Each structure stands twice: as structure tokens, then as C-alpha cells.
Amino acid sequence: MKRLFLCLLMLCCAPLLAGTARADTAKLKVGVKRIEIDTQRMYEVSANAVVQAAPAAVWKTLTNYERMTEFVPDLSACRVLSRNGNEVVIEQQGVARFLFMSNPIHLVVRAMEKPMTSIDIDLISGDMRHYEARWTLTPLPDTGGTRILFSSRLIPGFYVPGMLGTTMIKGDIERMMTAVMARIDNPPDIDQAR
């Protein structure tokens, strides 16, 4: 769960220098809370980030799923299983870590792409009882940059300490989003095209 679901998950996310991480965190806001829907307790995540890159560059990074292992923390594999128009089925593998605990994570998700605007993700199968996420891109005409909104609702398929769950997930989302922002604002020299 940790850092992985955010790879899309989102979709989504180059080693960071300490100074870069601090600067990016100033442009990032993350909130996590526990909610109850239909008698199910789940975590609700919201993240808001601003990057210097235009929406096209952000889109290119978020939809280049097979390169995500290069920059998303704890994501060991990410591959496209199928693509049918704007619907993409993606398999991801990684590890969720907390203190001395380590849980392998395997997910198969469906991403519905609305080019340059949003990506809606839902769980097909894997180590979550429930997972849905959405990436939304908004151009910032004044700066030429992009506002990135990430929202998610999830129920892990493994034990997460109740009192610490929101703190753990918030830290993971912050690390994942910081990595995504760094990759977007400082892409590798090689072509990222799919």
C-alpha cells in the first residue's frame, strides 16, 4: 500500500537532494483522514502540488507507467498489461514498510485517462480491499506551471496500526508526491516518450 498506490498512482513518481526535497515540500500539501462509508473504515487522501512544468510534461510523466520504478519509492515493478483507447490496465509490485514490518504489495489497476486533464484509477485485484484514486491537472497560466491534485480512498488488505495509519500514509504520500514533483521538474535527459 504505502508509497505504491501513489505511484499511479499513481500513477504515479530520481533520487532527491536534500535541498530539492525541502523546496518541493513547500509547494506540497497532503491530508489524510479516516472516514466511514457504508460501515467500512477507509483512508481518504488529498494532495495538492504545484510544479513548474506545463500540463503536457506532467501528463507525460504520469502516464509513462513502465518508467515509474525509476523514481517512485518502494515500487519494484510496473508494467502495462493492456491498453484499449484511454483505458490502461497496469500491474504494480512493491513493498510497504513500517518500522520492522514489511508487506509485499501486488496490485492490478485500471487507469482511465482523460488526456492532459485527469487519470481515474480503480482496483481490479491485489493486496487492497478497496482502492480508488484520481490525478487532476490544472494549468497555471500566470506561471506556465501546473497544479496537480491527487485524491484517493483506500482500505489496505493487511494490518495497519489504527492510531498510526494516517501518519504512515501521509508520510508515504508526501515522499511519493515529492518524488513525482522532482521527476516532473527535473526530467532525465533521455526521452520519456511511450
Side-chain angles (χ1 to χ4, degrees), residues 50-116:
V50 174
V51 293
Q52 299 168 1
V58 175
W59 183 260
K60 190 178 210 181
T61 299
L62 292 179
T63 59
N64 198 346
Y65 307 110
E66 295 185 343
R67 303 260 335 245
M68 287 186 173
T69 58
E70 296 174 10
F71 58 99
V72 175
D74 288 338
L75 182 64
S76 58
C78 187
R79 67 184 181 116
V80 172
L81 298 178
S82 68
R83 179 178 284 278
N84 182 11
N86 290 341
E87 179 181 310
V88 187
V89 176
I90 305 154
E91 179 181 38
Q92 298 180 324
Q93 294 181 0
V95 177
R97 301 178 198 279
F98 178 67
L99 299 176
F100 56 88
M101 297 182 293
S102 177
N103 287 302
I105 302 289
H106 177 260
L107 298 176
V108 176
V109 298
R110 177 181 302 106
M112 295 299 296
E113 301 175 345
K114 187 174 178 187
M116 307 303 161

Side-chain angles (χ1 to χ4, degrees), residues 50-58 138-140 143-147 184-187:
V50 174
V51 293
Q52 299 168 1
V58 175
T138 304
L140 300 173
T143 64
T146 306
R147 179 173 307 283
I184 290 167
D185 280 338
N186 301 296

Side-chain angles (χ1 to χ4, degrees), residues 13-14 16-18 20-26 28 30 49 51 71 73 171-186:
C13 305
L16 301 173
L17 299 172
T20 302
R22 277 192 296 276
D24 287 345
T25 303
L28 172 64
V30 176
V51 293
F71 58 99
D172 288 341
I173 298 297
E174 287 172 344
R175 284 186 291 280
M176 184 273 302
M177 289 294 292
T178 300
V180 170
M181 293 165 62
R183 179 64 165 229
I184 290 167
D185 280 338
N186 301 296

Side-chain angles (χ1 to χ4, degrees), residues 146-194:
T146 306
R147 179 173 307 283
I148 304 169
L149 301 174
F150 175 80
S151 58
S152 178
R153 288 185 175 168
L154 61 114
I155 303 172
F158 51 87
Y159 174 72
V160 175
M163 295 295 289
L164 301 174
T166 55
T167 302
M168 291 167 41
I169 291 170
K170 182 177 180 184
D172 288 341
I173 298 297
E174 287 172 344
R175 284 186 291 280
M176 184 273 302
M177 289 294 292
T178 300
V180 170
M181 293 165 62
R183 179 64 165 229
I184 290 167
D185 280 338
N186 301 296
D189 291 335
I190 57 176
D191 182 33
Q192 292 187 30
R194 286 191 265 154

